[in-house]
Amino acid sequence: MAEKLVKLGLKREDGYLYYIGKDGYVWRAKMARGGKKGGKPSKVATSPVNGHYPVKKQPGYLYFVDKKGDVARAKMARK
């Protein structure tokens, strides 16, 4: 079960991969399709929201942007 950390409400565009970078901000990169190369990553969200942004990552969790455009995390199922 995922735990929502920050409500951003990002509008996700087709053809882009959204992820949480090492710096704790949300980044996006153009996905490679049919022999075409992917694009250079760009920072999407930079403003603080509720004082919890950028996200401070902890080991043992998977951080991602959910379907509603919010930052969430889930406990990894490994030892």
Side-chain angles (χ1 to χ4, degrees):
M1 194 71 185
E3 168 188 1
K4 200 168 285 203
L5 298 176
V6 181
K7 289 188 177 186
L8 292 177
L10 291 174
K11 303 278 186 196
R12 295 170 63 139
E13 294 182 44
D14 290 337
Y16 286 93
L17 172 70
Y18 290 82
Y19 61 95
I20 311 300
K22 288 182 180 180
D23 59 357
Y25 290 105
V26 177
W27 291 75
R28 77 176 188 174
K30 186 91 170 154
M31 288 192 283
R33 296 281 186 210
K36 294 181 182 178
K37 294 193 174 199
K40 185 177 179 183
S42 61
K43 198 180 287 188
V44 177
T46 57
S47 62
V49 177
N50 300 333
H52 296 90
Y53 199 65
V55 176
K56 303 274 191 255
K57 291 186 175 184
Q58 295 178 349
Y61 287 93
L62 174 70
Y63 292 82
F64 60 96
V65 179
D66 65 7
K67 289 182 180 180
K68 293 184 178 180
D70 303 328
V71 177
R73 73 177 183 177
K75 184 107 171 127
M76 284 195 250
R78 60 177 165 152
K79 296 178 182 181

